[in-house]
Amino acid sequence: VSCRVLTSVDQVSEVGPQSFGYFGELPISAWLGELELTNRLLIFVADPFISEWSRRCLRQADLVLILALADGPPAISHTEEQLVVDGIAPAARE
């Protein structure tokens, strides 16, 4: 099974920094479409803060996994809370 892990750094290096601007949607869609054709699985790694890339990760995802340190508090982070408030992500469950 071919798998590709994608981060915001990949978007900048493959599509260019202009891909985050108003006219960046078409090149990003073409890039992601090509990746979907050549890979069985794409893993989108969101930024640790709210960004256009993080929003894209949530829009593209069939499944969202939130990873955390086991010794940390189970509270929802500010970033997770803001994504729910903005209506970008469904309510998180602890």
Side-chain angles (χ1 to χ4, degrees):
V1 173
S2 63
C3 175
R4 176 86 187 262
V5 177
L6 302 170
T7 67
S8 57
V9 172
D10 295 313
Q11 180 179 335
V12 171
S13 67
E14 303 254 350
V15 185
Q18 75 282 1
S19 64
F20 287 103
Y22 179 75
F23 296 105
E25 190 62 34
L26 187 58
I28 293 170
S29 294
W31 174 60
L32 292 175
E34 179 65 28
L35 290 173
E36 288 177 351
L37 289 174
T38 57
N39 295 278
R40 175 89 171 107
L41 180 65
L42 296 178
I43 298 174
F44 290 83
V45 179
D47 293 326
F49 50 88
I50 298 170
S51 66
E52 286 305 313
W53 176 252
S54 296
R55 288 181 173 95
R56 177 172 301 284
C57 290
L58 291 169
R59 285 195 310 269
Q60 294 289 130
D62 294 326
L63 175 67
V64 175
L65 298 176
I66 298 174
L67 306 177
L69 296 173
D71 61 352
I76 295 172
S77 74
H78 171 72
T79 301
E80 293 165 328
E81 186 177 303
Q82 191 60 49
L83 291 171
V84 171
V85 168
D86 291 349
I88 297 166
R93 290 176 271 165
E94 291 184 26

